[in-house]
Amino acid sequence: KAGVTQTPRYLIKTRGQQVTLSCSPISGHRSVSWYQQTPGQGLQFLFEYFSETQRNKGNFPGRFSGRQFSNSRSEMNVSTLELGDSALYLCASSLLPGLASEQYFGPGTRLTVT
Amino acid sequence: AQSVTQLDSQVPVFEEAPVELRCNYSSSVSVYLFWYVQYPNQGLQLLLKYLSGSTLVKGINGFEAEFNKSQTSFHLRKPSVHISDTAEYFCAVYFGNEKLTFGTGTRLTIIP
């Protein structure tokens, strides 16, 4: 079974631009969560989607948004990029949300904002 | 505030020696505890988890962890490490709000 796929793997953007990252979950998984990983803040929860609905949201500004499609694929968008948005963005999928089932992580998208 | 603390940012250990990676959390509510490993340029992989039952939990790759409620700790141990254990290890906790909170990670370096 294929694992979680994230595209693109690497991305360089300029301050003020916007970016869209994509996550394809493991086949059959309906829950997708997003995390931001930086050297200073570590791993922080962004949001979780299940059946196209946002179930949970972390403490990030409104510039960070996401959505989930009917095939469970998910995208996250960051508008008006800031230098501090440079990070590794990890996506994780699971059969069900919360504690109900194990999360499987993708390799991440490394975003560099210049 | 609910938080997860991994005091050791880096731990060097000789090959075949034992290792303990420390994790403490602050919470008065019931928690669920996890350890993840991240190899270079890869995502996170679940090592083990504690949801309920026996406080000694065994995971993959020979790792185990013990939940100590009174000390609010969930330390990860391995009796004999191998070069392939070189990675970053993250402790994570569900505080009942269904948001996984991670510690800042411990980089384990195995010295041949």
Side-chain angles (χ1 to χ4, degrees):
Chain A
K1 190 184 271 191
V4 178
T5 305
Q6 292 188 245
T7 56
R9 290 292 312 276
Y10 301 92
L11 204 50
I12 300 175
K13 289 286 188 180
T14 304
R15 264 183 307 176
Q17 289 185 314
Q18 78 165 18
V19 67
T20 299
L21 311 182
S22 180
C23 172
S24 293
I26 291 172
S27 177
H29 286 195
R30 294 167 57 199
S31 177
V32 173
S33 297
W34 288 89
Y35 298 85
Q36 182 196 63
Q37 184 177 18
T38 60
Q41 300 295 319
L43 274 150
Q44 293 185 285
F45 171 79
L46 279 157
F47 25 66
E48 179 188 32
Y49 287 87
F50 176 69
S51 293
E52 302 178 66
T53 300
Q54 187 180 87
R55 287 188 76 249
N56 245 319
K57 190 176 190 307
N59 298 323
F60 279 81
R63 300 186 296 108
F64 291 81
S65 63
R67 59 178 176 169
Q68 186 180 35
F69 301 95
S70 58
N71 62 358
S72 295
R73 190 177 70 84
S74 176
E75 288 181 348
M76 69 162 279
N77 184 276
V78 187
S79 62
T80 319
L81 284 165
E82 300 176 0
L83 293 180
D85 297 332
S86 294
L88 180 66
Y89 290 88
L90 292 166
C91 162
S93 78
S94 57
L95 279 169
L96 296 169
L99 285 173
S101 52
E102 178 180 340
Q103 290 191 32
Y104 293 83
F105 284 79
T109 293
R110 184 162 297 281
L111 171 65
T112 302
V113 182
T114 61
Chain B
Q2 297 164 331
S3 63
V4 182
T5 302
Q6 290 182 250
L7 283 174
D8 305 308
S9 59
Q10 296 188 63
V11 173
V13 180
F14 285 103
E15 195 172 12
E16 298 184 8
V19 68
E20 178 180 84
L21 306 183
R22 297 181 292 169
C23 173
N24 289 86
Y25 64 90
S26 62
S27 176
S28 58
V29 301
S30 294
V31 297
Y32 303 99
L33 303 151
F34 305 78
W35 275 99
Y36 286 87
V37 60
Q38 186 177 33
Y39 298 104
N41 299 316
Q42 294 187 29
L44 277 68
Q45 181 183 7
L46 180 66
L47 273 177
L48 47 78
K49 61 185 176 185
Y50 172 80
L51 301 183
S52 65
S54 173
T55 56
L56 182 62
V57 180
K58 293 190 185 298
I60 62 171
N61 301 340
F63 284 94
E64 65 180 33
E66 186 154 22
F67 170 49
N68 188 317
K69 189 175 181 179
S70 63
Q71 295 187 4
T72 60
S73 69
F74 190 54
H75 300 333
L76 181 70
R77 301 185 184 101
K78 186 170 183 178
S80 176
V81 296
H82 189 265
I83 288 286
S84 59
D85 294 322
T86 296
E88 188 146 22
Y89 292 79
F90 293 91
C91 178
V93 181
Y94 267 115
F95 289 108
N97 57 5
E98 294 200 320
K99 299 177 188 180
L100 202 55
T101 300
F102 285 86
T104 50
T106 298
R107 187 172 301 276
L108 177 62
T109 302
I110 308 302
I111 305 166

